[in-house]
Amino acid sequence: MARGRPRNFDRDTALQRAMEVFWAKGYEATQLSELMTAIGINPPSFYAAFGSKEALYREALDLYLSTVGGVSVKALAETGNVRGAIESMLLASLDTALASPSSGGCLVSLGLVNCQEQHAPLRDRMRELRHHMTLLIRQRLERAIVQGELSADTDTERLSAYFGTIVHGISLQAQDGTRREVLLGIVETAMEVLKTPTL
């Protein structure tokens, strides 16, 4: 009979470790054996606890979004003025990208951009998350128009697409080893767009 889970098995800790492996290597490059080693359980225990690699990835993604991956969204929503909100979001994205176990960028920004066809549902989920980030940026810009921070003719669709691209671009640059000071320069340059009330 297969050995069960270790007595000290902690599902939350296991999920955290799995998230770190996925974040460092990506979904397709992560092997089941690596996940089981990181978690410290055998195959029967793994399937009993998580069901499948895909199911574990979805749980790990939810954990990421509710913790380190959600910092930029929180900054965007909770910072008082629109300039501060956008800048805080970009800086939080930068910190998240550099915090990856492999400096591999953001789990969402780079997750399954290209993948095998059998993983298309996961790829589509990652696309939805990236589109949602752009939508949140647009909503924050539109709120700024209502509050009089931005002029009524501000092109929020174009600006949100621009800042969304900066968020994802920072992640890609981090994965390629770009230094922190260079990434900070990217944020500073991007913020030039919001220097005047009339854009």
Side-chain angles (χ1 to χ4, degrees), residues 75-186:
L76 180 67
E78 297 182 0
T79 306
N81 62 78
V82 68
R83 179 177 172 79
I86 297 294
E87 185 172 29
S88 295
M89 173 198 68
L90 294 178
L91 291 173
S93 297
L94 185 157
D95 288 338
T96 298
L98 292 178
S100 163
S102 63
S103 294
C106 169
L107 181 62
V108 173
S109 291
L110 302 179
L112 287 101
V113 175
N114 293 307
C115 67
Q116 299 177 40
E117 190 56 34
Q118 65 263 36
H119 301 140
L122 283 179
R123 178 200 61 204
D124 294 344
R125 171 64 175 146
M126 305 308 281
R127 283 179 178 171
E128 289 172 4
L129 289 171
R130 289 189 286 268
H131 289 320
H132 183 64
M133 185 66 195
T134 300
L135 175 61
L136 291 177
I137 296 170
R138 184 172 183 177
Q139 290 173 342
R140 183 62 186 85
L141 293 169
E142 289 172 347
R143 194 171 99 203
I145 292 175
V146 172
Q147 295 173 338
E149 293 184 86
L150 299 176
S151 63
D153 61 351
T154 297
D155 191 337
T156 58
E157 181 177 8
R158 179 179 293 186
L159 272 180
S160 59
Y162 170 75
F163 284 116
T165 299
I166 297 297
V167 167
H168 303 314
I170 285 172
S171 189
L172 183 59
Q173 291 285 334
Q175 185 184 55
D176 286 346
T178 301
R179 301 187 316 277
R180 181 181 182 84
E181 55 267 33
V182 175
L183 297 178
L184 287 170
I186 292 172

Side-chain angles (χ1 to χ4, degrees), residues 26-109:
Y27 179 76
E28 290 189 330
T30 298
Q31 303 298 314
L32 273 173
S33 58
E34 293 175 294
L35 290 169
M36 287 184 281
T37 297
I39 293 171
I41 56 177
N42 62 14
S45 300
F46 174 87
Y47 290 110
F50 300 106
S52 67
K53 176 184 172 182
E54 179 179 340
L56 175 57
Y57 183 79
R58 290 181 182 276
E59 281 197 60
L61 177 60
D62 288 342
L63 176 62
Y64 177 85
L65 293 171
S66 67
T67 56
V68 63
V71 176
S72 59
V73 172
K74 185 176 181 181
L76 180 67
E78 297 182 0
T79 306
N81 62 78
V82 68
R83 179 177 172 79
I86 297 294
E87 185 172 29
S88 295
M89 173 198 68
L90 294 178
L91 291 173
S93 297
L94 185 157
D95 288 338
T96 298
L98 292 178
S100 163
S102 63
S103 294
C106 169
L107 181 62
V108 173
S109 291

Side-chain angles (χ1 to χ4, degrees), residues 3-15 17 35-36 38-42 45-50 56:
R3 179 172 57 87
R5 295 180 214 167
R7 288 175 182 259
N8 62 349
F9 177 79
D10 184 312
R11 200 176 190 282
D12 291 339
T13 300
L15 189 56
R17 290 175 180 168
L35 290 169
M36 287 184 281
I39 293 171
I41 56 177
N42 62 14
S45 300
F46 174 87
Y47 290 110
F50 300 106
L56 175 57

